Amino acid sequence: MISRRLFSTTSKLPPCNFVPKKYDGPSYDKLTKIRRINLNPALTTIYKDPLAVHQGHMQWLFDINGKRYLDLFGGICTVSVGHCHPKINAAVKDQMEVLNHVSNIFLHPKIHEYAERLTAKMPGDLKVAYFVNSGSEANDLAILMARLYTKNFEILSLRNCYHGMTCATMGLTATGKYKYNYPNVSGIHHVMNPDVYKGIWGGKNCRDSVVQTTRQCNCSGECDAKHKYIDQLKEHFEYTIPKSKGLAAFFAESIQGVGGSVQFPKGYIKEAAQLVRENGGLMISDEVQTGFGRTGDHFWGFEGHEIVPDIVTMAKGIGNGYPLAAVVTTPKIAEALNAASHFNTFGGNPIASTVGITVLDIIEEEKLQQNSKAIGTNFLKQLSQLREEYPKTIGDVRGKGLMIGVELVKNGTTEPLLDKQIYDVLKDKGVIMGQGGAYGNVMRIKPPMCITQQDVDFTMSTLREAFTQLKYK
């Protein structure tokens, strides 16, 4: 039996010189009452006693009582460079004093500056940007573009994926908890998810990660699991896609986000893209969570799969919390939208574009992609050690850079451990983590990319305290 490292029972938050403003808004009871009566009743929180957040600073959040928390979820993988980053605050203030909003039918400078900057980060012929407001909207537009361009209708996505909750993207999404009993857009099919941890095939040599599954694996050279999952994909082209027409598009996240940071076998996405194009379709990469340096090795997650997609969708980290998203494609595919008039009232407005430009500046100036790789790699290795210490509770650790998932299980099986107490215990100790996966048993770690090694060490001590307190094994 592996011995547990000694740790303090009261881990201390790393130092922070920032002092939050005093809160003088509605009381906690008033907030909960308003939420119950005046807000969408489907809104939920992962905590028994919901957290009332007042202010943010870089990787830190402060509640209405002034208590500080290390934010390892980043507003659902959205705060890329840090809460209320001073450079973004200053840039937005300056822009608001010059031009707040005009329609993009005008040649306001910022949208043009930003389009040039953003597309310069893209490989190949991905040079045309459409700015929108959310990831769901971006994926919705990508569906339209693919069908118009190819003149085909059928679309494929992976089981366990999440691509949004508009009427169209709810059809793309293949996780039952996010689907209403409502007719989704037709022509969308969900293929087998190539999950090397819980899927039919896969093992300890299959992932592009410093941490692998503990399953046995027969791979030598090319991934054997990849070939088997590709065979399953081929069956969809054989039995589902009309031979007379072909495919419109295949959607894939580089690493599944809401689905629990699921990684695919090495080579799967590359070979899938080849199959898609052979059958008349476009390869669409959803970079809503994996873009902007989060995976560490590359600026875009798809680069780790050695492909250049036909369409790329992005949101979340693109605006560091500001409602900004984009679709980037080739000039040839972009022409398909000329079939009718197309515009977006708020997409790429002066403030949104200013935020987007500033995010790109900060990632480069503060070397946040490099930080994601260095800090994320160490984090993954420490979490792997934790899995060895708690083999009956931690079934899998996976991810790249600061896109990390820790799957909690029962008694060393793959059966999900459905215990929300862990999030409450961590919150009480000052750590905020996300919850994901089809059953909510995956701890999602997607913090602002400015976190430090001190933050990681504090988190690991806190996790050990929480696991001990909950009597995990």
Side-chain angles (χ1 to χ4, degrees):
M1 183 175 182
I2 297 172
S3 61
R4 289 169 170 71
R5 285 170 39 183
L6 296 176
F7 57 87
S8 168
T9 56
T10 53
S11 296
K12 189 176 180 181
L13 279 165
C16 172
N17 295 327
F18 181 80
V19 178
K21 295 179 180 179
K22 185 177 180 181
Y23 177 74
D24 60 1
S27 68
Y28 185 90
D29 289 342
K30 178 68 172 176
L31 291 172
T32 56
K33 181 179 179 181
I34 292 170
R35 188 180 183 92
R36 186 174 66 252
I37 297 173
N38 302 117
L39 283 173
N40 173 5
L43 291 175
T44 60
T45 76
I46 64 173
Y47 299 121
K48 181 180 179 182
D49 297 314
L51 182 60
V53 178
H54 165 48
Q55 193 167 358
H57 174 72
M58 303 309 286
Q59 66 267 50
W60 306 106
L61 289 174
F62 300 83
D63 68 17
I64 60 177
N65 298 312
K67 181 177 177 180
R68 180 162 58 103
Y69 302 85
L70 176 61
D71 181 12
L72 295 183
F73 201 25
I76 312 183
C77 200
T78 299
V79 180
S80 50
V81 302
H83 290 283
C84 300
H85 194 291
K87 184 164 183 173
I88 294 177
N89 292 350
V92 169
K93 181 177 181 293
D94 289 346
Q95 182 59 45
M96 289 186 76
E97 292 176 350
V98 176
L99 182 65
N100 192 319
H101 177 76
V102 292
S103 169
N104 54 29
I105 64 172
F106 297 103
L107 301 182
H108 70 80
K110 287 300 178 183
I111 192 172
H112 299 82
E113 293 174 27
Y114 186 39
E116 186 176 51
R117 285 284 305 276
L118 182 63
T119 56
K121 302 293 290 186
M122 307 299 296
D125 205 24
L126 294 166
K127 297 304 176 190
V128 181
Y130 293 76
F131 294 113
V132 292
N133 307 290
S134 72
S136 292
E137 193 178 357
N139 284 327
D140 199 298
L141 178 57
I143 293 172
L144 175 64
M145 294 172 78
R147 284 175 167 167
L148 287 172
Y149 176 76
T150 64
K151 296 180 173 57
N152 295 332
F153 190 69
E154 308 300 320
I155 290 176
L156 299 178
S157 65
L158 294 165
R159 295 171 194 162
N160 195 56
C161 72
Y162 180 90
H163 295 290
M165 290 195 70
T166 63
C167 288
T169 57
M170 195 186 303
L172 273 181
T173 294
T175 301
K177 66 188 290 186
Y178 294 106
K179 298 174 82 72
Y180 287 97
N181 183 22
Y182 176 86
N184 295 147
V185 172
S186 61
I188 297 176
H189 313 277
H190 304 129
V191 305
M192 181 180 286
N193 192 36
D195 180 350
V196 299
Y197 170 61
K198 288 194 299 189
I200 300 175
W201 305 288
K204 62 182 181 180
N205 297 309
C206 295
R207 283 199 299 233
D208 177 22
S209 175
V210 297
V211 181
Q212 300 288 340
T213 74
T214 56
R215 294 173 67 178
Q216 292 303 307
C217 183
N218 296 321
C219 297
S220 59
E222 280 207 351
C223 179
D224 183 59
K226 180 261 292 188
H227 293 303
K228 290 182 168 64
Y229 285 116
I230 286 293
D231 286 343
Q232 293 296 309
L233 178 58
K234 287 178 179 177
E235 289 199 356
H236 278 272
F237 290 107
E238 183 68 28
Y239 301 120
T240 306
I241 307 304
K243 295 286 187 183
S244 60
K245 285 289 185 180
L247 187 70
F250 180 95
F251 275 78
E253 302 163 88
S254 296
I255 298 174
Q256 290 181 331
V258 174
S261 303
V262 173
Q263 290 181 276
F264 312 128
K266 288 175 286 189
Y268 176 85
I269 291 293
K270 184 176 182 179
E271 195 161 330
Q274 182 179 336
L275 270 175
V276 166
R277 288 164 176 155
E278 288 172 357
N279 286 272
L282 302 181
M283 188 69 193
I284 300 177
S285 182
D286 181 331
E287 293 287 322
V288 169
Q289 296 195 30
T290 50
F292 298 90
R294 179 161 292 278
T295 59
D297 284 334
H298 306 93
F299 198 81
W300 305 108
F302 64 75
E303 293 175 291
H305 296 288
E306 299 180 348
I307 67 164
V308 177
D310 301 293
I311 299 175
V312 181
T313 62
M314 58 195 78
K316 292 186 181 290
I318 189 176
N320 198 51
Y322 191 88
L324 171 63
V327 179
V328 178
T329 189
T330 67
K332 192 173 180 181
I333 294 170
E335 290 175 5
L337 282 187
N338 289 336
S341 295
H342 185 273
F343 74 99
N344 187 292
T345 301
F346 298 106
N349 79 0
I351 297 174
S353 297
T354 296
V355 171
I357 290 168
T358 311
V359 166
L360 292 178
D361 287 341
I362 293 168
I363 291 172
E364 183 175 338
E365 292 166 4
E366 299 183 6
K367 301 187 184 314
L368 294 184
Q369 180 181 329
Q370 295 88 328
N371 194 61
S372 285
K373 180 176 175 62
I375 300 299
T377 298
N378 181 274
F379 210 158
L380 282 161
K381 288 179 178 178
Q382 289 202 47
L383 288 166
S384 178
Q385 170 64 29
L386 191 69
R387 177 179 61 181
E388 293 183 34
E389 296 171 23
Y390 294 89
K392 292 187 176 181
T393 297
I394 298 179
D396 196 30
V397 172
R398 50 186 178 256
K400 290 196 70 176
L402 290 173
M403 183 86 178
I404 298 172
V406 179
E407 185 143 352
L408 304 181
V409 297
K410 289 183 179 179
N411 299 318
T413 67
T414 58
E415 184 180 352
L417 176 63
L418 307 179
D419 184 10
K420 286 190 176 184
Q421 291 183 89
I422 182 64
Y423 301 99
D424 286 297
V425 172
L426 288 171
K427 180 200 71 171
D428 292 343
K429 294 177 181 294
V431 175
I432 295 171
M433 284 193 189
Q435 183 181 4
Y439 303 99
N441 65 311
V442 180
M443 304 172 78
R444 294 172 65 195
I445 301 173
K446 287 115 187 233
M449 296 187 293
C450 58
I451 67 164
T452 68
Q453 189 56 50
Q454 257 191 311
D455 299 331
V456 172
D457 294 341
F458 165 72
T459 300
M460 296 308 302
S461 294
T462 304
L463 278 168
R464 287 184 168 91
E465 291 176 18
F467 277 33
T468 299
Q469 182 174 326
L470 294 170
K471 296 182 170 54
Y472 288 169
K473 297 180 179 180

